[in-house]
């Protein structure tokens, strides 16, 4: 007659206990990952699936302005008017700053350089060749990025995603066609946020 082998007492209970502990550990790791990486993952998905929308700043100021070319010209929707730094000082180091209230999640920045989109007018004034983009957020220090611009009329797009942006500054680092009697013209800056 057949005899089943005897189980040692407690061995099945130990396996069940280990299985339960393993499941609890996996749930704890999953919960930690959701708290730690969940918001970033949700933001990454939303960034890729939503269409950015244009946003106007609540204020625009500049380190200096040439007569007839105020900082506000940067966001007036017209690319035949422009901001230029004051002519009595070097353009390098001059900046224009946009403030956003409430803060935005920056997605794209479109820059139009020069005095006009028409080539013959475009070349009459100097144009920024390099800009430093500086961003401030409400919960942290500023971040910077170099923007290298082509010497051509028309829009130039820069994709740069940063959340909670309260201020955006564009500082002139270098220029095309700079010479005495010419202003460094920055026609338009379009800012796009995630809705």
């Amino acid at each position: 007659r057949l005899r089943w082998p005897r189980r040692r007492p407690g061995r099945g209970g130990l396996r069940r206990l280990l299985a339960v502990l393993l499941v609890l550990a996996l749930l704890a790791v999953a919960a930690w990952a959701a708290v730690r990486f969940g918001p970033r993952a949700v933001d990454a998905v939303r960034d890729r699936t939503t269409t950015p929308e244009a946003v106007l700043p609540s204020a625009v100021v500049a380190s200096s302005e040439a007569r007839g070319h105020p900082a506000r010209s940067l966001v007036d929707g017209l690319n035949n008017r422009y901001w230029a730094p004051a002519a009595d000082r070097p353009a390098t180091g001059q900046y224009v700053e946009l403030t956003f209230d409430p803060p935005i999640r920056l997605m794209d920045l479109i820059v139009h350089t020069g005095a006009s989109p028409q080539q013959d007018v475009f070349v009459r004034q100097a144009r920024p060749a390099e800009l430093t983009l500086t961003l401030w957020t409400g919960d942290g220090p500023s971040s910077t990025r170099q923007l290298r611009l082509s010497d051509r009329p028309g829009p130039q797009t820069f994709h740069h995603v940063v959340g909670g942006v309260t201020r955006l500054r564009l500082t002139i680092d270098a220029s095309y066609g700079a010479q005495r009697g010419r202003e460094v013209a920055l026609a338009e800056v379009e800012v796009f946020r995630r809705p």
Side-chain angles (χ1 to χ4, degrees):
R1 121 184 165 187
L2 291 171
R3 285 190 167 185
W4 298 102
R6 287 188 175 185
R7 291 185 179 176
R8 292 184 183 164
R11 197 158 193 192
L14 181 60
R15 284 186 183 149
R16 280 192 294 277
L17 177 62
L18 288 175
V20 168
L21 289 175
L22 179 62
V23 168
L24 290 174
L26 290 173
L27 288 173
V29 168
W32 174 82
V35 168
R36 177 87 165 96
F37 302 109
R40 284 189 210 161
V42 169
D43 274 338
V45 169
R46 288 185 63 199
D47 290 345
R48 286 176 175 80
T49 58
T50 58
T51 302
E53 66 179 17
V55 59
L56 288 172
S58 53
V60 183
V61 296
S63 55
S64 69
E65 299 174 333
R67 185 180 308 171
H69 302 289
R72 198 78 193 154
S73 296
L74 271 185
V75 294
D76 65 1
L78 302 170
N79 56 12
N80 62 351
R81 294 198 298 206
Y82 59 89
W83 165 69
D88 62 346
R89 60 191 81 182
T92 301
Q94 298 293 307
Y95 65 85
V96 64
E97 192 170 284
L98 287 64
T99 301
F100 300 94
D101 186 19
I104 63 166
R105 183 167 182 83
L106 176 67
M107 300 292 289
D108 294 303
L109 190 68
I110 300 178
V111 178
H112 302 255
T113 65
S116 169
Q118 297 175 337
Q119 184 69 28
D120 59 331
V121 180
F122 177 82
V123 297
R124 290 181 194 163
Q125 300 295 343
R127 291 82 54 198
E130 292 181 14
L131 297 170
T132 296
L133 169 65
T134 307
L135 301 172
W136 284 267
T137 59
D139 61 350
S142 64
S143 64
T144 60
R145 176 184 172 188
Q146 294 302 121
L147 306 181
R148 298 193 195 299
L149 299 154
S150 299
D151 193 19
R152 60 173 173 77
Q156 299 182 52
T157 303
F158 300 91
H159 182 68
H160 192 65
V161 179
V162 178
V165 173
T166 57
R167 284 189 298 150
L168 178 159
R169 178 183 290 182
L170 293 169
T171 305
I172 299 171
D173 294 327
S175 304
Y176 296 111
Q179 57 184 266
R180 191 174 188 83
R182 285 186 166 190
E183 299 167 333
V184 178
L186 187 56
E188 193 74 13
V189 173
E190 300 175 68
V191 179
F192 289 83
R193 69 176 179 187
R194 189 183 73 194

